[in-house]
Amino acid sequence: MNEYADLLIIGAGPAGMSAALAAASSGARIVVLDDNPLPGGQIWRDGPQASLPDQARQMRERLQANSNIRHHAGTRVIALAGAKQLLVEDADRGWLIGYDKLILCTGARELLLPFPGWTLPGVTGAGGLQALIKGGLPVQDERVVIAGSGPLLLASAATAKHNGAQVLRIAEQASAVAVAGFALQLPRWPGKLVQSFSLFDRHYRTGSHVVAALGNDRLEAVRLRHRGKIVELACDRLACGFGLIPNTQLGQALGCALDGSALAVDAWQTTSHTDHYAAGECTGFGGSELALVEGAIAGHVAVGNTAAARNLWPRRARWQGFAKALNSAFGLDPQLKSLAQPDTLVCRCEDVPYSALSGHVGWREAKLASRCGMGACQGRVCGGALQYLFDWQPTAPRPPFNPARIETLMCLDDTPPV
């Protein structure tokens, strides 16, 4: 079965939901694809132990109430199937979707940097731990250390504490001066100021980063460097994330240009590829408020309502200011590039250590020599780390973009030659 959309939206996080709702009044046939079971993305992830904000619930209800919006949950893009046509797959089937306009709201993923012991059971990303807890992972009475950079550390700690964990330390790599400077700017965004009070934790430390995870068969302790001194804490879990990386792979495959590590967009959220737009964290990290307004602008523009889009520019500029302050304050310290030791695994899928990569000049050469990035995750984890460590720019992905059934790939036989 094939399908057609006037407007196809990839991703049902805040940006994707906002884009669909902004475009809905036009009467256009709108299709939203997302790989999660329910709309909300990572920030509004649902689950047995999740507590969704009212805004997320209301937006979800509005999506369901619009008869011209169709939402495909648990669905992934597998390949390009010609001009303005994608091959997609869910748990039951694969099919082709053609479209007139497309909005990429593919979000971001955590930057995980390799350090000794980071592959031990009990070590996850900071956002990863939060998602696991929301999904039902029991952490009652467990000793947890959270390390890395950015406000996600505090949000992860709050989720862990709410579910009975004992948070021993929140180790923020940014300096006290940088964090204090950011805090002093928060009155410009009163909602964020209030939120910061609710997330405050007495175990929060600046100028502190992970050195190693210690243990044999699983995590037993973590070694931290705090303002030049080494500290070791016995713990059951370590959640470590160093910020976010925009998910640009599908945009790159479609031919959209990059601006640094994010998809490049103009004032109308238009990419370099005609009739293709992008919004949210795939265009750069700035929080849910920025994602919401960018999604609304893209949705309005995609259905020709440029006046409504332009009216949102001041709100976007306000939250772009927050994003700029956030990214400036939590920039990564160059000393984090030296965390990995020669025998530290960088590519976990293919067991490739740091020593096998440090002599190469780029992704392609490293892959040919070591198989780095050629395992199950297809470079989604090690790719971001190597971009930070060696400044290697990941290349556009080759299809299939995700594991797929043979029957799904056979749908490509139905596409006319380009």
Side-chain angles (χ1 to χ4, degrees):
M1 182 191 77
N2 295 341
E3 188 174 7
Y4 177 80
D6 297 315
L7 175 60
L8 177 60
I9 299 171
I10 310 296
M17 296 169 78
S18 184
L21 293 172
S25 62
S26 69
R29 185 184 307 173
I30 301 168
V31 174
V32 182
L33 301 183
D34 192 75
D35 60 359
N36 288 312
L38 293 167
Q42 298 303 317
I43 192 169
W44 292 336
R45 175 181 284 273
D46 212 338
Q49 295 176 179
S51 178
L52 287 183
D54 290 339
Q55 184 179 22
R57 294 187 184 279
Q58 291 166 5
M59 292 183 72
R60 187 180 289 178
E61 290 169 2
R62 290 172 61 198
L63 281 176
Q64 294 172 343
N66 276 279
S67 59
N68 60 320
I69 299 177
R70 184 170 186 181
H71 172 235
H72 292 297
T75 304
R76 295 183 175 186
V77 177
I78 303 303
L80 309 185
K84 294 190 175 182
Q85 192 173 52
L86 300 178
L87 174 64
V88 303
E89 182 185 80
D90 64 13
D92 300 317
R93 63 192 177 95
W95 73 102
L96 300 172
I97 296 185
Y99 60 88
D100 181 44
K101 304 284 180 67
L102 180 142
I103 304 177
L104 293 161
C105 302
T106 46
R109 62 191 186 280
E110 280 193 276
L111 173 60
L112 305 176
L113 298 181
F115 54 86
W118 77 296
T119 59
L120 281 171
V123 182
T124 65
L129 176 62
Q130 189 179 40
L132 287 169
I133 293 172
K134 289 180 179 180
L137 176 74
V139 292
Q140 181 73 36
D141 298 326
E142 289 191 343
R143 300 164 299 171
V144 177
V145 173
I146 297 176
S149 192
L152 180 58
L153 304 186
L154 289 168
S156 183
T159 300
K161 286 190 297 182
H162 180 73
N163 287 276
Q166 180 186 359
V167 176
L168 304 179
R169 179 68 56 88
I170 304 172
E172 167 58 59
Q173 61 86 38
S175 69
V177 171
V179 174
F182 174 70
L184 289 173
Q185 297 184 68
L186 286 179
R188 296 166 56 192
W189 306 279
K192 291 296 185 183
L193 179 62
V194 173
Q195 187 183 44
S196 70
F197 289 132
S198 68
L199 294 176
F200 175 76
D201 190 291
R202 63 188 179 88
H203 298 294
Y204 185 79
R205 300 288 187 275
T206 57
S208 183
H209 68 262
V210 66
V211 173
L214 309 175
N216 294 314
D217 296 327
R218 65 162 289 114
L219 178 72
E220 298 172 9
V222 60
R223 182 176 296 149
L224 302 168
R225 183 180 298 277
H226 177 60
R227 298 180 184 176
K229 296 182 179 179
I230 296 296
V231 178
E232 287 191 7
L233 297 173
C235 61
D236 304 300
R237 291 192 182 277
L238 168 63
C240 196
F242 294 90
L244 298 174
I245 311 168
N247 284 325
T248 63
Q249 289 85 352
L250 181 56
Q252 287 180 272
L254 287 163
C256 302
L258 296 180
D259 179 9
S261 61
L263 294 176
V265 293
D266 63 13
W268 304 104
Q269 300 297 139
T270 308
T271 70
S272 61
H273 192 28
T274 305
D275 293 334
H276 291 68
Y277 309 84
E281 292 178 344
C282 61
T283 67
F285 176 60
S288 61
E289 295 85 359
L290 180 58
L292 286 166
V293 68
E294 286 181 346
I297 290 171
H300 284 309
V301 172
V303 295
N305 193 352
T306 55
R310 188 185 292 273
N311 289 337
L312 293 173
W313 285 5
R315 189 192 307 174
R316 180 180 59 188
R318 179 168 176 263
W319 289 110
Q320 283 175 333
F322 174 77
K324 182 178 180 180
L326 181 70
N327 292 320
S328 175
F330 294 99
L332 297 185
D333 190 319
Q335 68 177 319
L336 297 175
K337 294 188 177 185
S338 62
L339 290 179
Q341 301 301 305
D343 61 346
T344 302
L345 291 183
V346 176
C347 176
R348 299 182 298 186
C349 298
E350 295 293 325
D351 291 338
V352 181
Y354 182 87
S355 59
L357 299 166
S358 57
H360 298 295
V361 296
W363 250 114
R364 180 175 174 79
E365 182 184 323
K367 281 185 176 183
L368 291 173
S370 69
R371 291 189 54 83
C372 183
M374 297 178 71
C377 86
Q378 288 293 287
R380 286 178 175 83
V381 176
C382 61
L386 291 171
Q387 186 172 6
Y388 174 72
L389 292 173
F390 300 128
D391 199 29
W392 293 351
Q393 184 63 51
T395 56
R398 299 174 63 182
F401 307 137
N402 290 287
R405 295 185 293 270
I406 294 296
E407 308 90 86
T408 296
L409 297 176
M410 289 175 65
C411 293
L412 292 173
D413 291 340
D414 299 331
T415 60
V418 179

